[in-house]
Amino acid sequence: MKSGDWSLNPTHTHESTRPSVLVIGAGMAGLVAARLLRDSGFPVTVVEARDRLGGRIWTDHSLGAPVDLGGSWIHGADDNPLSDWCRALGVQLAITSDEERYWHENKLVMERSEAWRRAWRGRAVAGLALGGGVRYQRLMRRLGRKTQLSLATVIEPILRSRWLPDLDRRVLAAVVSTSEGVQGAPAEFIDIEDWFPREAHGVNALPVGGYQQLIDDAATGLDIRLNQPVHMIAYNTEGVQAVTTQGMLYVDLAVITVPLGILKQRKLQFDPPLDAARRAAIDRIGYGGDGVLGKVIMRFPYRFWPADRQWFLSLPPSPEQRGVFTAWISLENVAGAPLLMAFTNGHAAANFDRNSTDAEVQAAALAVLERMFPGQVPPPTSFIFTRWLSDPWALGSYSYPAVGSSPRDRLAYAEPVADRLYFAGEGTQTVDFGTVHAALRSGEATAERIFRTYTGCEPVRRAPWR
């Protein structure tokens, strides 16, 4: 099923004088902006460096079932525009329940709540330290003093405390690992005020069949040119010139939706250069470096895990060994096949991404599964490991709340340049950055801003999530 007209026009009449637009990047933000503008009468061309649509959304079928290798979840699915869009297309949502979760180790099974109860000393100390760190940083900011406290600054001394029982330190390591996974960065990069992984809680859902269904819907009717990376953008009061591998493109406006890593590493050049304040803001926003969330997805000949549970956890053997495939989720109810997905995060994820072969990654993941379900794990029939950090067109998973950054940096990044260059993507959002719905909202906001500027009209919202 496809959605209908996304036009922002108060009427359906199109003005021939509307400026031409080049959208750089065919991910969620770029396609949403392009579709809204195209359906509103703007001549739109989309260029994409990859040989596929979606960017950091990638629904893969190589395991014999659809699996999202990039963005997977709809966070806060009970109040999320992506849920509305899925309903409009008839895409079912599989709720990943916040049921009681269990830690598995050498045939022993412990309820997560029981482990937390037993680790009360560590949780109490960590709660005091984290709360104190947040209050201290906020006080210093009110006093006009700069402080840059990371999650690691506060929590690592506790994780190394030998007076704490081993279980307490392992449970705290699991909590820190969850933060490193949801935020997509090691603890020393995460600002203390944003350490708590909110997206891990609440109502979360997976679109059955994958996000590609939404990507394909957004791309309907668009002029999209794949395998055409842009290396240089020149702009002045007359318009925009984009230098691509296939030649020059001349347009009135450009919407730039490339991942932040491309801008941070200067893979896309501007003439004249972006101003120093914007460059500094982009550099402060967390993205890439050693920040990445890695996924491993395995297909097995049969299900060996309990059928009545979705999530399976393994306590890190030690705080230093956290982030190595300790959280697993069954995708059987989503993909209709015996699939398990696990996550690696923090420095472990960056090391696997850059330095390990697929065989080494698979062995590390299977070792954890064998620790959880000893003697029960058959050899997988197929396997995928994501490498977003090594991907030259991503250079990371998603943006995160870096030490020293602030929402003002994201606002500065999103600000248009001379009403010729516009920026969109999850990294431009001050709320829910790092999510697919942040990318959607940024694309919509950018399209509406262009529409207001060049038509003088207030947009009417007809998109399928409205």
Side-chain angles (χ1 to χ4, degrees):
M1 183 185 298
K2 298 289 186 182
S3 57
D5 185 14
W6 291 22
S7 173
L8 299 170
N9 291 311
T11 67
H12 289 284
T13 58
H14 291 175
E15 298 290 339
S16 60
T17 56
R18 292 184 182 177
S20 57
V21 181
L22 176 67
V23 176
I24 303 171
M28 179 61 78
L31 291 176
V32 164
R35 176 70 182 275
L36 287 166
L37 291 171
R38 179 261 183 193
D39 282 10
S40 303
F42 289 75
V44 176
T45 302
V46 181
V47 291
E48 166 58 46
R50 304 177 187 275
D51 61 359
R52 60 170 180 82
L53 303 178
R56 287 171 287 161
I57 292 175
W58 184 7
T59 304
D60 179 84
H61 294 263
S62 64
L63 299 183
V67 177
D68 280 317
L69 304 184
S72 300
W73 267 269
I74 299 176
H75 296 291
D78 52 339
D79 183 24
N80 190 305
L82 293 165
S83 300
D84 298 328
W85 192 356
C86 285
R87 280 190 287 271
L89 297 182
V91 176
Q92 293 183 342
L93 298 182
I95 303 297
T96 55
S97 69
D98 202 21
E99 63 189 7
E100 178 63 84
R101 300 181 185 183
Y102 296 83
W103 273 307
H104 298 252
E105 186 169 353
N106 296 326
K107 297 186 178 180
L108 297 177
V109 180
M110 182 186 297
E111 292 184 356
R112 182 174 60 176
S113 58
E114 174 63 15
W116 283 10
R117 185 189 67 79
R118 294 188 188 183
W120 65 270
R121 296 174 186 84
R123 291 194 302 108
V125 172
L128 289 172
L130 290 165
V134 170
R135 289 191 294 273
Y136 173 78
Q137 181 155 293
R138 289 174 178 170
L139 175 61
M140 291 297 100
R141 189 166 57 246
R142 285 197 296 270
L143 295 175
R145 302 176 187 174
K146 284 189 176 182
T147 58
Q148 297 185 354
L149 287 182
S150 70
L151 172 59
T153 301
V154 175
I155 204 68
E156 286 293 348
I158 299 172
L159 294 178
R160 293 194 297 267
S161 297
R162 295 305 174 186
W163 59 268
L164 271 182
D166 182 64
L167 177 64
D168 295 53
R169 294 190 300 117
R170 293 176 69 191
V171 168
L172 290 181
V175 173
V176 174
S177 182
T178 300
S179 176
E180 292 177 317
V182 172
Q183 302 293 14
E188 63 263 36
F189 298 165
I190 300 172
D191 188 277
I192 186 64
E193 294 185 58
D194 290 294
W195 79 269
F196 186 74
R198 289 183 295 274
E199 287 87 353
H201 303 277
V203 179
N204 294 317
L206 297 168
V208 176
Y211 262 119
Q212 191 65 42
Q213 299 163 100
L214 276 62
I215 292 295
D216 289 343
D217 184 49
T220 301
L222 294 177
D223 175 10
I224 302 174
R225 305 176 189 183
L226 301 177
N227 298 304
Q228 194 163 341
V230 176
H231 300 298
M232 166 72 78
I233 297 174
Y235 61 97
N236 56 31
T237 57
E238 302 299 318
V240 177
Q241 174 182 314
V243 181
T244 82
T245 54
Q246 307 299 319
M248 304 286 192
L249 292 172
Y250 301 91
V251 291
D252 297 311
L253 317 173
V255 178
I256 299 150
T257 71
V258 298
L260 259 168
I262 302 298
L263 299 178
K264 290 171 79 73
Q265 293 194 24
R266 312 313 198 247
K267 301 289 186 182
L268 178 58
Q269 296 292 314
F270 295 87
D271 182 19
L274 299 179
D275 63 273
R278 187 189 304 266
R279 284 249 52 95
I282 289 171
D283 288 342
R284 283 191 295 267
I285 299 170
Y287 188 96
D290 277 349
V292 70
L293 176 67
K295 296 180 185 178
V296 61
I297 305 100
M298 294 187 185
R299 181 165 184 156
F300 293 91
Y302 53 85
R303 176 179 46 76
F304 60 86
W305 54 92
D308 59 345
R309 298 177 196 160
Q310 286 183 306
W311 286 97
F312 309 92
L313 308 178
S314 172
L315 276 177
S318 70
E320 295 75 24
Q321 294 172 285
R322 68 180 185 263
V324 182
F325 306 116
T326 52
W328 294 77
I329 183 171
S330 171
L331 299 180
E332 192 170 31
N333 66 326
V334 181
L339 299 173
L340 285 177
M341 177 166 66
F343 306 93
T344 177
N345 47 63
H347 287 295
N351 184 56
F352 281 131
D353 191 309
R354 291 192 178 113
N355 303 319
S356 298
T357 65
D358 279 357
E360 290 169 336
V361 173
Q362 178 174 302
L366 286 174
V368 177
L369 271 183
E370 185 60 32
R371 192 170 71 229
M372 297 167 68
F373 301 101
Q376 303 175 54
V377 183
T381 58
S382 48
F383 159 93
I384 293 176
F385 177 57
T386 62
R387 297 180 186 269
W388 293 106
L389 203 58
S390 303
D391 186 318
W393 306 120
L395 301 174
S397 298
Y398 43 79
S399 67
Y400 59 85
V403 175
S405 67
S406 77
R408 292 188 299 274
D409 294 327
R410 296 176 184 272
L411 293 174
Y413 165 33
E415 191 64 23
V417 177
D419 280 330
R420 292 292 175 185
L421 305 184
Y422 294 79
F423 294 84
E426 55 83 12
T428 66
Q429 299 295 284
T430 60
V431 177
D432 296 334
F433 47 83
T435 66
V436 178
H437 62 271
L440 182 154
R441 285 174 172 155
S442 76
E444 181 180 41
T446 299
E448 291 183 352
R449 187 166 191 165
I450 292 171
F451 183 87
R452 290 189 187 96
T453 299
Y454 288 94
T455 69
C457 299
E458 191 62 24
V460 174
R461 292 170 171 172
R462 297 185 179 90
W465 55 88
R466 291 296 180 180

